[in-house]
């Protein structure tokens, strides 16, 4: 049986703007909680930011993922729990096409993906445990959308803030996102002032490239 829960409350535009230039590695200086272990970006450079739309699949059956893509809204990040299956790919070319059409921000797969060359060409942000030619099937047996799942040692709830780049991934409780984001931004600004003071120049990403101004 498929269990499809309503869409969770979205991350606010204020919080998304706050996190626009924050790096996951900066968050990793401030907290251990929410760090998603074991998953790697499919290609580099890569940037992922959005609200979690969670999916739980029972190994071979990916029918719930089809339902999640129908439910998806712009800015969602599909976070997929494969129930411990590290061999089958549930994500590939045609699901990426559908996700791009819906404005999905990316996918986080606690399992494998396929069609790697196409996904790279599309530039669709994907984190996964690995790559596999063995795939799931749409069997209509069971699965869940928008329930609490476990990915990389982290309990992820629908609507959690997902942020990732080449350094890794964090899932952040919306209730503490503003406090943590402000602390991370302050740390990055302090680091930039130190770079300038030490003569290391302007950091391109998050600095000159995005028009940020850092003052002494």
């Amino acid at each position: 049986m498929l269990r499809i829960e309503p869409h969770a409350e979205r991350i606010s535009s204020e919080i998304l703007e706050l996190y626009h230039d924050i790096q996951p590695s900066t968050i990793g200086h401030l907290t251990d909680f929410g760090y998603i272990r074991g998953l790697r970006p499919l290609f580099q450079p890569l940037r992922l930011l959005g609200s979690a739309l969670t999916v739980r699949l029972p190994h071979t059956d990916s029918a719930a993922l089809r339902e999640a893509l129908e439910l998806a809204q712009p800015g969602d990040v599909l976070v997929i729990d494969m129930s411990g299956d590290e061999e089958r790919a549930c994500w590939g070319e045609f699901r990426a096409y559908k996700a791009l059409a819906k404005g999905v921000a990316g996918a986080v797969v606690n399992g494998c993906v396929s069609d790697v060359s196409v996904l790279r060409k599309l530039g669709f942000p994907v984190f996964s445990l690995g790559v596999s030619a063995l795939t799931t099937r749409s069997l209509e047996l069971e699965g869940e959308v928008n329930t609490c799942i476990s990915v990389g040692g982290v309990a992820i709830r629908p609507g959690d803030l997902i942020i990732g780049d080449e350094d890794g991934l964090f899932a952040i409780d919306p209730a503490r996102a503003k406090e943590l984001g402000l602390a991370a931004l302050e740390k990055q600004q302090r680091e930039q002032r130190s770079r300038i003071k030490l003569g290391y120049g302007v950091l391109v990403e998050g600095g000159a490239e995005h028009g940020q101004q850092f003052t002494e």
Side-chain angles (χ1 to χ4, degrees):
M1 177 180 293
L2 296 179
R3 175 186 173 190
I4 314 297
E5 297 294 334
H7 208 291
E9 183 176 352
R10 311 293 303 286
I11 297 294
S12 71
S13 58
E14 175 191 6
I15 295 299
L16 291 175
E17 179 63 26
L18 173 62
Y19 277 82
H20 185 269
D21 294 313
I22 289 175
Q23 300 164 344
S25 58
T26 304
I27 298 170
H29 282 282
L30 303 173
T31 183
D32 287 8
F33 298 148
Y35 176 64
I36 300 174
R37 291 168 169 79
L39 275 65
R40 298 290 181 265
L42 190 61
F43 55 84
Q44 299 182 22
L46 180 151
R47 174 72 175 176
L48 181 59
L49 181 66
S51 300
L53 195 169
T54 62
V55 187
R56 178 178 293 173
L57 303 180
H59 303 291
T60 59
D61 185 5
S62 60
L65 186 49
R66 182 193 62 235
E67 299 298 324
L69 281 166
E70 291 298 325
L71 193 65
Q73 298 177 13
D76 283 342
V77 175
L78 286 163
V79 186
I80 305 164
D81 178 358
M82 289 282 291
S83 301
D85 190 330
E86 299 182 1
E87 297 181 346
R88 292 182 181 271
C90 68
W91 190 266
E93 175 183 357
F94 285 92
R95 282 183 170 147
Y97 291 148
K98 178 73 171 182
L100 285 167
K102 297 296 290 282
V104 171
V108 174
V109 183
N110 196 25
C112 290
V113 300
S114 61
D115 305 324
V116 174
S117 62
V118 176
L119 294 179
R120 286 173 175 161
K121 289 175 183 176
L122 291 173
F124 182 78
V126 175
F127 282 79
S128 71
L129 289 175
V131 174
S132 177
L134 186 66
T135 67
T136 56
R137 318 281 195 272
S138 186
L139 303 175
E140 305 284 348
L141 297 175
E142 62 177 334
E144 297 178 353
V145 177
N146 279 328
T147 61
C148 185
I149 62 174
S150 177
V151 173
V154 177
I156 299 178
R157 296 163 299 181
D160 280 356
L161 177 65
I162 306 296
I163 180 171
D165 66 11
E166 297 92 329
D167 289 334
L169 276 167
F170 269 91
I172 299 171
D173 183 344
R176 67 184 301 234
K178 184 173 183 178
E179 177 186 8
L180 188 58
L182 289 172
L185 185 61
E186 181 183 1
K187 177 174 175 56
Q188 288 186 181
Q189 290 173 338
R190 288 198 311 268
E191 290 174 347
Q192 182 64 5
R193 290 194 291 269
S194 295
R195 290 185 188 96
I196 294 171
K197 184 177 181 180
L198 294 169
Y200 294 148
V202 176
L203 179 65
V204 174
E205 186 168 300
E209 182 177 316
H210 297 292
Q212 280 188 299
Q213 299 296 318
F214 296 94
T215 57
E216 297 272 3

